[in-house]
Amino acid sequence: MAAIVFWLSFGIAAYVYAGYPLVLLAWKRLAARPVCKAPIEPTVTLVIAMHNESRNVAVKMQNCFELNYPADKLQIIVSLDAPTDGTDSLVREYAPQGVDVLSTTIRRGKASAINRAVAFARGEIIVFADARQRFHPNAVRELVANFADECVGAVSGQLVLLDSEGREASNTLGMYWRYEKKIRGLESDIHSVPGTTGAIYALRRELFAPIRPRTVLDDVQIPMRAVLKGKRVLFDPAAIAYDEVAKEANVEYEKKRRTLMGNYELLVEMPELLLPWRNPIFLQLFSHKVGRLLVPYCLIALFVSNLFLLHGYYLLIFVCQVTWYLLAFTGWLLATRRMQDMAAPTTSFQGVEKDL
Amino acid sequence: MRTFQKLLQVPYTFSLMNWAAITGLFYYLNRNQEFWDLAAPASRRKTATPQLRRL
């Protein structure tokens, strides 16, 4: 029994992180579906939902004005979700330059802000953006070019994580993100990506239907509806947005927890996604999204079942597992120490003094 | 030393991301209570209809 649990857990975890990318690679070689990109210029509405973003408003708006897209075909809507830090007045300064500002006095969440904005949108294509990330000047043009293909319902851009020196991040989080983007690229080449990047994605306006207020992952629910309507959701690495990588994994942990919480919500809200005859990318969704939710429980089962199998090569695997978790624990201790150092400037100063 | 610290980051980050999946479920189940509150009749809620303002 322990051996069955052991190998089943091992199999699922190995499939999700290694087997699935290999399946995608083979699938792409056999049945890639190219997209007919063309330099079209439909009307576009750029939707930016904001809560308390006073620090980012000036840079973001400047970034929007620098986009390489005809101004008469680009509507910019900033949908404010009851900000309390002066974001409201800062954004209103851009109203004379053609920015539409929607504002509420009661906080209802990002999903509600998006619903309000799309109701006012005039563009044939809606581009969704966050306040913090900057777009490459050609980002909108690149996103929109994919809609020349009638099969395309939504397109995700590429989020590039930069380190403090402005280079693409090379730390573990940067590596993890690059691995994630490779998988998205393969999924896109075959059919569709099960979800987009919230900081940069576009959708045909007619495919939008208001999402439930307090939805956590609008960037997954909105495109998955397009997939259920028979359209493709692409990942286009040429449409780029930039963000700073988190220096500490703990920060990324908070984001990841929110994302994974949203995945549970997605499966409850859209159970049809788990029906292979309804969802054309069932395998991708199951392997990419559901698999990531299952892996931690598989790892626990792997460890516990290994305790009952301490002989032969199982013993070696057990030693590897214990070593892995000890290293993880040491990494956690070091990260906690770094955070304490950052939180206590006097300690850091003493350190500098000692170095001098 | 820096290389060693970078290597330590791999098991740490991987474990942290998996831990996020477990705590994510916990947070989702707790948040459901708020969903029920939102679904409750307006008279039982403290929120009101938002006022839209377009400039």
Side-chain angles (χ1 to χ4, degrees), chain A residues 88 92 100-101 103 108 116 172 214 250 253 256-257 260 264-265 268 295-297 324 327 332 334 338, chain B residues 8-9 11-12 15-18 20-21 23-25 27-28 31 34 38 48 50-55:
Chain A
D88 204 340
R92 279 187 216 182
D100 290 324
V101 185
S103 165
R108 303 297 289 255
R116 286 194 298 272
T172 320
R214 308 191 73 131
N250 306 49
Y253 163 74
K256 193 74 183 169
R257 184 176 67 188
L260 293 165
Y264 288 111
E265 182 191 87
V268 173
V295 164
Y297 304 102
W324 176 265
L327 288 173
W332 174 73
L334 286 174
R338 272 201 301 275
Chain B
L8 279 180
Q9 286 266 313
Y12 169 54
S15 303
L16 205 61
M17 295 301 127
N18 281 297
T23 54
L25 176 62
Y27 272 73
Y28 172 67
R31 223 182 74 123
E34 295 175 37
L38 264 180
Q51 289 178 318
L52 283 183
R53 200 162 64 235
R54 193 179 185 200
L55 298 177

Side-chain angles (χ1 to χ4, degrees), chain A residues 51-62:
Chain A
H51 173 52
N52 284 340
E53 297 288 352
S54 56
R55 283 179 310 169
N56 298 313
V57 168
V59 176
K60 184 68 191 180
M61 297 319 295
Q62 189 57 39

